[in-house]
Amino acid sequence: DAGVTQSPTHLIKTRGQQVTLRCSPKSGHDTVSWYQQALGQGPQFIFQYYEEEERQRGNFPDRFSGHQFPNYSSELNVNALLLGDSALYLCASSDLAGDADTQYFGPGTRLTVL
Amino acid sequence: AQKVTQAQTEISVVEKEDVTLDCVYETRDTTYYLFWYKQPPSGELVFLIRRNSFDEQNEISGRYSWNFQKSTSSFNFTITASQVVDSAVYFCALSPRGSTLGRLYFGRGTQLTVWP
């Protein structure tokens, strides 16, 4: 049973560039959430996707956008990168119709903005 | 407002000692879930335990146990007979079942180091 997978593992970008991170949910899961974890902090909720639509959103600017595909996989896009966007980006999946409250996390993508 | 506080930034113990990680939460929702996750150096958050707001029964699962007290809004987590492999950052998280259903609110984490 495959868990949550994310790609790439690491990414280095420069200020002003755009980045796309990818996530495949755990088998049987239909909901994907994205979190940003700055160094030494707890994860912060960015947004959540279900049925290819954004269900709810945390306190992040519009530079952060996402997408969910029919196969439930998801992308996180960040435009006009800032130094402060450097963080570990975590994807989590859950089964909205089942055990919706328990989210399972992937290994994360570490983004460094120079 | 939803908030999770983990006052302990770092804890160091010697192998085989018991260790308790503290968590205090704030929410106005009457129904919610509480979680503990473990984050080893690899970075992946590993789900450990979950408790819902209607069940204050404390349980033991292997070397893990938890103490949920609604009266003090606390959800403490204990590792018995700690091992070096328990070294990681531990996060307490809150999942309210109101308007923010499905969203996890995390504390800042407690770095646990277990020395051999």
Side-chain angles (χ1 to χ4, degrees):
Chain A
D1 181 18
V4 180
T5 60
Q6 292 185 244
S7 63
T9 306
H10 295 87
L11 207 51
I12 299 175
K13 293 285 188 179
T14 57
R15 281 178 297 174
Q17 284 189 312
Q18 178 264 344
V19 67
T20 297
L21 310 182
R22 295 176 177 82
C23 171
S24 290
K26 185 178 168 68
S27 178
H29 286 183
D30 55 12
T31 303
V32 173
S33 303
W34 287 92
Y35 293 81
Q36 180 196 64
Q37 186 179 16
L39 198 61
Q41 305 291 320
Q44 298 291 317
F45 177 79
I46 303 175
F47 42 54
Q48 183 180 79
Y49 278 86
Y50 171 69
E51 290 188 337
E52 302 180 48
E53 291 197 0
E54 186 181 287
R55 287 186 68 239
Q56 56 175 310
R57 187 181 183 92
N59 189 25
F60 279 81
D62 293 342
R63 298 187 298 109
F64 289 77
S65 63
H67 188 78
Q68 185 179 35
F69 300 93
N71 66 353
Y72 307 120
S73 67
S74 176
E75 287 183 350
L76 163 65
N77 301 292
V78 187
N79 295 322
L81 284 168
L82 304 173
L83 294 179
D85 295 332
S86 294
L88 179 67
Y89 288 84
L90 294 162
C91 170
S93 73
S94 55
D95 174 14
L96 195 66
D99 183 13
D101 298 277
T102 300
Q103 297 184 23
Y104 294 86
F105 286 80
T109 294
R110 185 160 300 281
L111 172 65
T112 301
V113 182
L114 302 176
Chain B
Q2 322 285 357
K3 187 178 179 182
V4 176
T5 302
Q6 294 180 253
Q8 303 155 309
T9 305
E10 295 182 27
I11 298 177
S12 288
V13 298
V14 177
E15 213 170 14
K16 297 184 183 178
E17 286 185 17
D18 298 347
V19 57
T20 295
L21 309 180
D22 298 334
C23 173
V24 174
Y25 63 93
E26 295 176 32
T27 181
R28 292 182 180 176
D29 288 67
T30 55
T31 306
Y32 50 88
Y33 282 90
L34 294 164
F35 298 83
W36 279 96
Y37 283 88
K38 172 183 178 180
Q39 188 174 45
S42 62
E44 181 173 346
L45 278 168
V46 178
F47 165 70
L48 295 177
I49 59 173
R50 181 184 87 175
R51 210 78 192 134
N52 75 56
S53 52
F54 291 109
D55 185 359
E56 289 192 69
Q57 181 177 353
N58 297 312
E59 289 189 17
I60 297 174
S61 176
R63 295 188 299 110
Y64 298 155
S65 62
W66 48 96
N67 186 344
F68 174 36
Q69 293 192 353
K70 222 170 172 178
S71 60
T72 56
S73 297
S74 66
F75 184 52
N76 297 336
F77 177 66
T78 297
I79 303 173
T80 303
S82 60
Q83 301 174 1
V84 173
V85 293
D86 295 327
S87 296
V89 181
Y90 288 80
F91 289 96
C92 179
L94 166 70
S95 179
R97 303 218 82 213
S99 60
T100 58
L101 172 64
R103 171 178 177 172
L104 286 171
Y105 295 83
F106 285 88
R108 295 186 64 169
T110 298
Q111 171 72 60
L112 172 65
T113 302
V114 181
W115 298 100

